[in-house]
Amino acid sequence: MELGLARTSVLEIGLEVSGPRNGLPVLLMHGFPYSVRAYDGVVDLLADAGCRTVVPHLRGYGSTRFLDPSTMRSGEQAALGNDLRELLDALQIERAVLCGYDWGGRAACVVAALWPERCHGLVTGGGYNIQDIAASINPAPPEIERTNWYQYYFNTERGRAGLTKDRRSIARLLWTLWSPTWEFDDATFERSAEALDNPDFVEVVIHSYRHRYGYVLGDPAVSAVEQALAAQPTISVPTINLASQASAWPVNDSPDEHAHFTGEYEQRLLPDIGHNIPHEAPADFAAAVLHLAKNT
């Protein structure tokens, strides 16, 4: 494994690269409040199969830093997706298999939808992760609203203060609630939680959860991307949706969900697996990537 840095228009992105230099590029995008450590088991399997994996720290995590102190610390979906597109440019990767869950799955879905020519295929945890911000005012069933308590918390100044004061305890609680069957130990959590010490973590997280409900404005630099996402663009690239059956959120198997995918599409159910899919089920995650890789 090699540690590296890649410079985009606004970030210096810390990343980990593994596998042969001429292998099929695979981008592995982590979620909130996780880190690149979620993919350790996946990387080994893909590297052994000849893939060239790139696991970047998202904005606000790990060794990734903003280049300019004045840049908006946005956590909106357009910024995450644009970061991934610019990372492909910085690494001179024309096309890759794009993979992710949670925030990372959102970034991968954004690129697959808006720039499909950059994507050999998509592995997405939880399906279509592009937010419909215009519809965010619509209430969810009460049990889902209860699960989303942290989102409402972050929309208050009390929540900002709480995340600033004790981000590790909040992250550990969310890990436990979202993956009730996963018995991770202290060492596993601490190896990942180091990434949350990034100086921009709190601001990026708070903006993300306020923007998705329309309570704060986005970054003007990616407004065109956000406008394109408002149309809920379909995804035409070959896609495997890894659906966690033990996650805090129920599997979405509705016709509306499947209609977002207009190309080759497969949903794979993962019994007894929670929200942190690659960390909990690395073999299943790697198998999905390799299934797409063999068709490139």
Side-chain angles (χ1 to χ4, degrees):
M1 186 261 288
E2 307 167 19
L3 298 179
L5 295 170
R7 182 165 290 206
T8 68
S9 63
V10 296
L11 296 173
E12 186 168 71
I13 298 177
L15 45 85
E16 298 180 359
V17 183
S18 301
R21 293 186 180 276
N22 62 347
L24 176 70
V26 178
L27 274 289
L28 301 167
M29 311 296 290
H30 70 82
F32 165 86
Y34 305 105
S35 79
V36 298
R37 299 277 67 79
Y39 284 105
D40 285 350
V42 178
V43 164
D44 292 341
L45 295 170
L46 295 181
D48 288 345
C51 295
R52 179 73 165 175
T53 62
V54 179
V55 192
H57 296 275
L58 299 187
R59 53 171 56 203
Y61 293 79
S63 57
T64 292
R65 295 291 186 272
F66 285 86
L67 300 176
D68 188 335
S70 67
T71 299
M72 185 177 186
R73 269 45 177 174
S74 171
E76 68 191 281
Q77 59 182 353
L80 299 175
N82 198 59
D83 288 347
L84 176 52
R85 181 184 65 84
E86 290 194 349
L87 177 59
L88 292 172
D89 290 342
L91 296 175
Q92 298 182 330
I93 296 174
E94 183 177 350
R95 297 179 73 197
V97 178
L98 304 181
C99 313
Y101 67 108
D102 198 87
W103 286 26
R106 186 159 300 119
C109 283
V110 168
V111 174
L114 299 185
W115 300 285
E117 70 278 2
R118 308 303 299 271
C119 184
H120 280 300
L122 171 69
V123 176
T124 171
Y128 188 79
N129 281 305
I130 297 175
Q131 296 158 346
D132 187 353
I133 295 175
S136 67
I137 192 65
N138 299 328
E143 61 271 19
I144 300 300
E145 299 285 24
R146 182 181 68 170
T147 299
N148 289 340
W149 66 268
Y150 67 101
Q151 300 186 16
Y152 307 126
Y153 184 52
F154 294 157
N155 269 276
T156 69
E157 287 308 293
R158 182 184 177 97
R160 183 198 297 271
L163 189 63
T164 301
K165 180 180 179 181
D166 202 357
R167 64 194 72 183
R168 271 176 164 75
S169 292
I170 291 174
R172 183 157 193 154
L173 175 60
L174 294 178
W175 278 38
T176 302
L177 294 175
W178 296 350
S179 297
T181 62
W182 184 32
E183 297 181 0
F184 59 88
D185 58 21
D186 291 344
T188 298
F189 175 76
E190 285 302 324
R191 281 194 296 271
S192 183
E194 292 177 359
L196 311 186
D197 293 332
N198 184 293
D200 298 304
F201 174 76
V202 171
E203 290 305 310
V204 170
V205 170
I206 294 299
H207 183 267
S208 174
Y209 287 102
R210 295 184 181 187
H211 182 271
R212 68 182 60 194
Y213 290 110
Y215 293 132
V216 297
L217 297 175
D219 185 350
V222 292
S223 60
V225 178
E226 197 65 63
Q227 185 175 359
L229 297 175
Q232 296 288 275
T234 58
I235 293 175
S236 61
V237 304
T239 298
I240 294 178
N241 170 19
L242 297 177
S244 309
Q245 293 187 289
S247 172
W249 291 274
V251 173
N252 186 350
D253 201 25
S254 70
D256 288 343
E257 168 71 8
H258 292 291
H260 288 301
F261 301 94
T262 59
E264 179 186 339
Y265 174 77
E266 178 186 356
Q267 178 174 274
R268 296 185 178 182
L269 298 177
L270 301 178
D272 300 322
I273 299 301
H275 190 60
N276 192 6
I277 299 171
H279 215 152
E280 299 177 59
D284 292 296
F285 204 101
V289 176
L290 294 175
H291 179 85
L292 296 175
K294 73 180 181 181
N295 295 321
T296 59

